[in-house]
């Protein structure tokens, strides 16, 4: 792989299958050097911010506080992990990135999208994924799939919030069809994986 590496992000509402897909893609890409991240988190400082963000006791957290904390965690992750990996020609598989902020804090919480884009541009220096795979599922299916896990602060938001986030994601995808590919996350894992691999292979061929 010449020049810079490849940055792939996985997006979608809770329970859509991002973590499962990331694990399978990591295995599929085993002949490459792959760095895998999750948000919020992925560095010592970002994990501390993650604890604050997901703490169910932080009920009074304002949407803008939430947005700024996500951006701060992302800022640290980009500088410490993503940029060095891309400079070294590696593949970065990110479980969530900027589109999560647009979908959750923008479409979900109602914060201004341009404000969020500017904030995130500042915090990432403009580092963007080459490819984003959006796993689209219904909020009901997402809830069914993760009902065994104790929900965190954002997962506790109801179906109506998840619906706004899902629709937000689809709007974002419509604006950047070249980068963001929508996959039907309601299909069997193997089918979702095959569709994801098709897009990734296209990028690998052009490297
Ligand atoms: N395509 C799929 N079909 C059915 N169940 C799935 C599929 N993908 C993931 N799951 C299951 O749904 C749950 C949530 O998946 P996960 O990958 O953790 O989602 P996310 O990381 O997006 O929240 C897990 O129990 C996982 O095993
Ligand atoms: Mg996950």
């Amino acid at each position: 792989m010449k020049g810079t590496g490849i940055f792939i992000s996985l997006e979608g509402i809770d329970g859509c299958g991002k973590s499962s897909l990331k694990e399978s893609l990591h295995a599929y890409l085993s002949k490459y050097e792959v760095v895998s991240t999750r948000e919020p988190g992925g560095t010592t400082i970002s994990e501390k911010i993650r604890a604050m963000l997901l703490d169910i006791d932080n009920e009074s957290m304002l949407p803008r506080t939430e947005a700024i904390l996500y951006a701060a965690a992302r800022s640290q992750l980009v500088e410490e992990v993503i940029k060095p990996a891309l400079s070294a020609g590696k593949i970065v598989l990110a479980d969530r990135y900027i589109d999560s902020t647009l979908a959750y804090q923008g479409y979900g919480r109602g914060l201004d999208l341009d404000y969020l884009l500017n904030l995130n541009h500042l915090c990432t220096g403009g580092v963007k994924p080459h490819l984003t795979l959006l796993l689209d599922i219904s909020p009901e299916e997402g809830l069914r799939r993760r009902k065994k896990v104790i929900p965190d602060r954002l997962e506790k938001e109801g179906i109506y919030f998840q619906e706004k986030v899902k629709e937000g994601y689809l709007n974002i995808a419509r604006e950047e069809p070249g980068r963001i590919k929508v996959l039907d996350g309601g299909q069997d894992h193997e089918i979702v994986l095959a569709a994801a691999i098709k897009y990734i292979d296209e990028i690998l061929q052009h490297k």
Side-chain angles (χ1 to χ4, degrees):
M1 210 176 294
K2 64 177 187 308
T4 62
I6 299 175
F7 184 9
I8 300 164
S9 64
L10 307 179
E11 295 282 359
I13 61 171
D14 299 311
C16 70
K18 297 179 297 298
S19 301
S20 314
L21 180 61
K22 189 171 75 164
E23 210 179 298
S24 301
L25 289 177
H26 209 145
Y28 175 72
L29 296 166
S30 62
K31 66 174 173 171
Y32 299 97
E33 279 195 279
V34 177
V35 170
S36 148
T37 67
R38 68 151 185 188
E39 282 206 19
T43 72
T44 308
I45 290 171
S46 307
E47 289 291 331
K48 287 183 181 170
I49 299 173
R50 176 188 179 92
M52 258 189 279
L53 276 166
L54 303 185
D55 187 344
I56 51 171
D57 289 338
N58 286 339
E59 269 173 20
S60 58
M61 188 182 290
L62 296 170
R64 63 172 186 267
T65 309
E66 184 179 291
I68 291 165
L69 284 175
Y70 272 107
R74 185 166 300 134
S75 172
Q76 202 71 29
L77 182 69
V78 166
E79 213 54 44
E80 282 189 34
V81 180
I82 297 178
K83 274 197 203 164
L86 293 175
S87 300
K90 297 178 185 173
I91 297 178
V92 175
L93 280 183
D95 186 338
R96 297 195 179 281
Y97 194 60
I98 293 178
D99 300 308
S100 282
T101 284
L102 297 178
Y104 282 79
Q105 282 73 49
Y107 288 94
R109 302 284 194 213
L111 291 180
D112 183 70
L113 294 173
D114 284 333
Y115 166 80
L116 293 172
L117 276 172
N118 287 335
L119 174 67
N120 277 273
H121 196 269
L122 174 74
C123 288
T124 60
V127 174
K128 275 184 88 171
H130 298 99
L131 171 68
T132 296
L133 299 170
L134 169 57
L135 304 182
D136 183 46
I137 59 164
S138 69
E140 290 78 10
E141 177 62 15
L143 191 66
R144 251 194 308 278
R145 284 186 188 174
R146 63 198 165 79
K147 60 176 176 281
K148 284 161 256 138
V149 190
I150 302 166
D152 62 38
R153 197 176 58 86
L154 275 99
E155 287 168 346
K156 275 171 80 94
E157 291 287 347
I159 290 278
Y160 176 62
F161 179 77
Q162 300 287 340
E163 190 64 52
K164 284 195 288 186
V165 174
K166 170 193 155 75
E167 289 306 320
Y169 266 128
L170 293 174
N171 281 341
I172 297 164
R174 274 190 286 272
E175 293 201 353
E176 279 190 79
R179 170 174 68 90
I180 307 176
K181 306 300 177 190
V182 184
L183 307 180
D184 178 358
Q187 303 172 107
D188 284 347
H189 177 74
E190 293 307 318
I191 296 175
V192 179
L193 176 63
I197 285 175
K198 213 175 103 240
Y199 288 119
I200 290 174
D201 281 349
E202 271 175 31
I203 291 200
L204 288 171
Q205 275 159 21
H206 292 103
K207 277 308 262 186

